Amino acid sequence: MTSIAAGEKNSPPVTHDALHDIAEQVLWLSTSIIHHANRVRPNPTGLKVGGHQASCASMVSIMTSLWFEQLESGDRVSVKPHASPVLHAINYLLGELDEKYLTTLRTLGGLQSYPSRSKDPDPVDYSTGSVGIGATAPIWGAMSRRYIETSFGGADRSGAGGTTKGFSGRQYSLVGDAELDEGAVWEAILDPGTADLGEIVWIVDLNRQSLDRVVPNIAARRLEKMFDAAGWQVVTVEFGHLLEELFTRAGGSALRERILDMPNPEYQRLLRCTADQVRVRLPGDGPGAADIAELVASLDDTTLTESIRNLGGHDLAALREAYSRIDDTRPTVIIAYTVKGFGLPTQGHPQNHSSLLTIEEYNTLAVSLDTDPTYPWAKFSADSPAGRICSDTARRLHRAAIPAAQHPVIPTDIGRTPKGTATTQAALGRVLIDLTREAPEAAERIVTVSPDVSSTTNLGAWVNKVGVWSSAERRDWFDDDSETIMHWREKPTGQHMELGIAETNVVGLMGELGSTWSRWGQPLFPIGVMYDPFVERALEPWSFGIYAGGQSILIGTPSGVTLAAEGGAHQSIKTPSIGLEQPGCISYEPAFAIDVEWTLLASISLLGRPDGTSAYLRLSTRPVDQTLADVPTDPAARERRRRQVIAGGYALTRHEKATVTIAAMGALMTEALAAAERLDQMGVFADVLCITSPGQLYRALRARHGHSTGESWILDRLLPAERATPMVTVLDGHPHSLAFLATVNRVASTSLGVSNFGQAGSLDEVYKYHHIDTDSIVDAALDLTGH
């Protein structure tokens, strides 16, 4: 019996036979979890439950070797989405998942379709499910953990269980080869900061299959070169020991070249062949065909069929050797050749991606694995070699609870009243600087993130003050240049993090920074800034980050057609409705600088806590006269205004004879007030409402109707029934975002906004083009009032 060294894990040696037994049991359990959900559990609707038995099977050896030989408690692993049953099977064997959940795959409250850190009942390090996001998450997790360690020393450097490495554990990504088609993956791999992260280890499941077919042109050599060019260590696990031994025999070198050179579909076809068919097909017609034919003729049928499937990703010894080569001074990628469906009757079939074993195939598998299909959940006996490995692994990977740091006090009002002319975008930078003076304990937990737009989003002063985060300090060669206004001082204690122009990676980083409160007990307040037209590009990964428990603030600026000179390509239209539609998020579009301060502080106060939430702020570069805000001077009245701003809106002007209501948001408050003034001159009086958050108001409306929890008091303040009049809504965005306000009191309404692609031009020209100018508001009000 061959003994396998387990490394410095303080556990008895792991034997090959016992590890092989565990791998077979993991295969059986993961297959059974899916089988039960589809073939055993009652299904009144008849709809397919789904699952990916073949995708699980290709990962079994990789994950068995990783968990039961390699992982330490400080390590974290992102598991490819379709292999979630493998993770659950391993957690079950380690005592981290109750048996009752094994029959609940894809049920309400049961095992999730894909690994979910927030919803699965067993330990999950990273939520995965959207292509590419789970793969890159450990990169941002590594940056976040390093940030915590350098800034607060909050992460346990021993990994709550010891580490032999110079950091708090490795960050593994188990990646399907098809995920490498996602462009954001390569943006993350190539980001300059990634090359410094030696704790990053990717393991690519190279099974050469997608959902529909065998992919003909996946070339491992090309992938190796791409990773190598990015500064990664590349370890390729091509073949198992059985094939490697055949390569040493006469004809072996020709066999090796033949397998490496043949197209992927041709190789996959061999996996479905009988031994006799392999003897005919495998030699091919190249110069070494005769030597290969002679070699395969010398093999018995079992050896021949096993050898053609003996790829490195299924050979425990080959995988162990690959893991031992990991270089902790730079990122590592292990490219493991695998067979999709390995060990199942469907292995290698070109359409096995989501196929399910029939009952007959499942029973045949049970016989081959010597298991009981009537009770598939048996564990190893505690005193068996495999059982002892499971218990030893469970002890080694145990993580002590991390105490939560005290949440700093976030001020609600800094106390200054902005004067003169200002933009809401500029107000962002001023609030951050004010926080460093007024609430330093809160400010030290703020981390700003941007995709190369710090200076153009008014973060220059903040960056100058707090510096740029880097894993190592770098010299600022322009620190003595008097004409350089913005200084790029990179150091491990900096509080600004900047990636390339890759919005999806920016929000991925924000999600991980926003998870540190639950991962490492240290809350951070990540604030990401990007041009509002590109928020939609980032929305899907940001939304996934929120789902996974990451709390952050996304700021889109500049926004709307107010960015007139940029033309239609850089004018956002749909983003105001994000706050209406995005779960786990509140949104604000403030009109005045004081509203920016109040909404930003309120949003920060909701970060880094179990009951927290994310936020989206839509800001503008339009200069606005701040006296129009008419901020109350009385402290009580000021606080009343602040509460209404946070709740969704406030009345800016009220008229005792009002016959129309103008509800405006953001940059168009100037036009709304000008329209009210002109209407007043005609004897048509208007109430003017400043809407700060359509989402908050919509939630209040649903709460009033009993469709959600929450308070509805803001509707009574903003839209009291006794003041119900026809309504004009107007914003620099799609008109539907405010259209629902008329339903509060069921009044006649006209909704103005932007529903066409914009044009370049002056502000007046562009506003008139979209009918959101003062004239259009006046016309709409006159129509509604019958004038």
Side-chain angles (χ1 to χ4, degrees), residues 442-459:
E444 71 176 357
R445 294 187 178 272
I446 291 175
V447 189
T448 54
V449 186
S450 71
D452 196 31
V453 294
S454 306
S455 57
T456 52
T457 54
N458 284 86
L459 287 183

Side-chain angles (χ1 to χ4, degrees), residues 90-111:
I90 289 173
N91 280 336
Y92 174 62
L93 292 177
L94 296 180
E96 296 283 359
L97 181 66
D98 193 279
E99 181 181 323
K100 67 181 181 181
Y101 287 107
L102 299 179
T103 60
T104 66
L105 180 67
R106 302 190 177 199
T107 64
L108 184 64
L111 299 178

Side-chain angles (χ1 to χ4, degrees), residues 568-779:
H570 278 182
Q571 296 172 358
S572 54
I573 296 173
K574 296 177 288 183
T575 49
S577 64
I578 288 174
L580 284 164
E581 301 160 0
Q582 174 60 50
C585 170
I586 57 176
S587 68
Y588 294 104
E589 185 166 348
F592 303 105
I594 189 65
D595 297 348
V596 174
E597 176 187 311
W598 288 339
T599 56
L600 182 62
L601 294 176
S603 299
I604 293 173
S605 71
L606 296 175
L607 300 178
R609 54 199 329 146
D611 58 345
T613 188
S614 295
Y616 162 62
L617 272 66
R618 188 175 190 250
L619 306 183
S620 173
T621 50
R622 183 183 183 182
V624 174
D625 180 1
Q626 297 301 303
T627 62
L628 296 176
D630 194 23
V631 180
T633 57
D634 178 79
R638 180 185 175 102
E639 173 59 16
R640 180 185 177 91
R641 166 73 69 84
R642 186 196 69 82
R643 291 182 64 242
Q644 291 178 354
V645 166
I646 302 309
Y650 56 94
L652 197 51
T653 65
R654 294 283 197 195
H655 198 288
E656 61 181 11
K657 297 180 180 180
T659 57
V660 68
T661 299
I662 301 173
M665 186 165 71
L668 293 184
M669 281 309 306
T670 300
E671 278 63 36
L673 291 169
E677 185 176 343
R678 282 175 49 185
L679 288 167
D680 185 80
Q681 294 169 2
M682 300 178 210
V684 179
F685 306 114
D687 286 346
V688 179
L689 309 181
C690 181
I691 307 301
T692 56
S693 175
Q696 293 287 71
L697 296 179
Y698 188 68
R699 291 184 183 94
L701 183 60
R702 286 180 56 80
R704 172 181 283 186
H705 293 161
H707 297 311
S708 67
T709 59
E711 299 179 344
S712 61
W713 63 267
I714 185 60
L715 300 179
D716 299 325
R717 302 292 190 275
L718 189 66
L719 295 165
E722 64 272 15
R723 297 191 65 86
T725 60
M727 179 181 294
V728 179
T729 63
V730 60
L731 75 156
D732 184 0
H734 200 281
H736 79 87
S737 300
L738 296 181
F740 74 93
L741 291 177
T743 69
V744 174
N745 291 315
R746 300 183 181 181
V747 298
S749 66
T750 296
S751 297
L752 304 179
V754 180
S755 55
N756 296 311
F757 288 113
Q759 299 288 334
S762 69
L763 205 59
D764 290 342
E765 291 172 328
V766 172
Y767 280 2
K768 184 175 182 178
Y769 173 81
H770 291 286
H771 305 292
I772 56 176
D773 58 327
T774 301
D775 286 350
S776 297
I777 298 172
V778 170
D779 287 345

Side-chain angles (χ1 to χ4, degrees), residues 23 65 73 178 201 279 346 376 484 496 499 590 668 703 767 772:
S65 178
S73 61
V201 180
R279 295 182 201 282
T346 56
T484 298
H496 177 73
L499 304 181
L668 293 184
Y767 280 2
I772 56 176

Side-chain angles (χ1 to χ4, degrees), residues 209-221:
Q209 283 187 240
S210 65
L211 190 150
D212 294 324
R213 60 175 180 152
V214 177
V215 180
N217 58 351
I218 289 181
R221 297 294 178 266

Side-chain angles (χ1 to χ4, degrees), residues 234-454:
V234 180
V235 178
T236 302
V237 191
E238 293 173 325
F239 305 114
H241 283 64
L242 178 56
L243 262 180
E244 291 288 1
E245 193 278 326
L246 291 183
F247 295 155
T248 65
R249 302 186 188 181
S253 60
L255 175 63
R256 182 186 184 93
E257 290 305 312
R258 165 72 173 132
I259 293 176
L260 287 174
D261 291 342
M262 72 172 58
N264 291 330
E266 182 182 3
Y267 175 78
Q268 293 292 113
R269 183 64 185 91
L270 290 175
L271 302 176
R272 309 290 299 171
C273 291
T274 64
D276 288 340
Q277 291 171 330
V278 172
R279 295 182 201 282
V280 173
R281 291 172 178 261
L282 182 56
D285 54 9
D291 292 336
I292 297 172
E294 185 175 349
L295 174 59
V296 298
S298 68
L299 305 176
D300 61 73
D301 289 356
T302 300
T303 301
L304 178 58
T305 54
E306 285 185 0
S307 64
I308 202 65
R309 296 174 175 82
N310 184 225
L311 299 184
H314 304 301
D315 189 293
L316 295 170
L319 288 166
R320 182 183 334 109
E321 193 275 335
Y323 293 139
S324 71
R325 293 170 56 191
I326 294 173
D327 176 5
D328 288 323
T329 66
R330 56 177 174 153
T332 296
V333 60
I334 297 173
I335 300 175
Y337 283 61
T338 61
V339 174
K340 196 160 189 173
F342 183 77
L344 301 180
T346 56
Q347 62 184 331
H349 193 284
Q351 279 85 49
N352 69 5
H353 177 79
S354 56
S355 66
L356 300 169
L357 297 188
T358 65
I359 293 175
E360 292 74 18
E361 288 172 332
Y362 180 74
N363 290 334
T364 299
L365 179 66
V367 172
S368 69
L369 296 178
D370 192 22
T371 57
D372 181 2
T374 64
Y375 177 66
W377 318 124
K379 287 186 175 182
F380 297 108
S381 63
D383 59 350
S384 68
R388 287 194 293 272
I389 292 173
C390 289
S391 58
D392 290 342
T393 300
R395 283 192 295 270
R396 186 180 78 244
L397 298 184
H398 174 72
R399 297 171 184 170
I402 299 176
Q406 185 174 358
H407 202 280
V409 175
I410 311 296
T412 58
D413 188 347
I414 292 174
R416 292 193 291 106
T417 302
K419 305 294 183 183
T421 300
T423 72
T424 53
Q425 177 178 291
L428 166 66
R430 293 194 185 101
V431 174
L432 293 178
I433 293 297
D434 285 343
L435 268 178
T436 63
R437 294 189 292 263
E438 302 296 328
E441 290 186 358
E444 71 176 357
R445 294 187 178 272
I446 291 175
V447 189
T448 54
V449 186
S450 71
D452 196 31
V453 294
S454 306

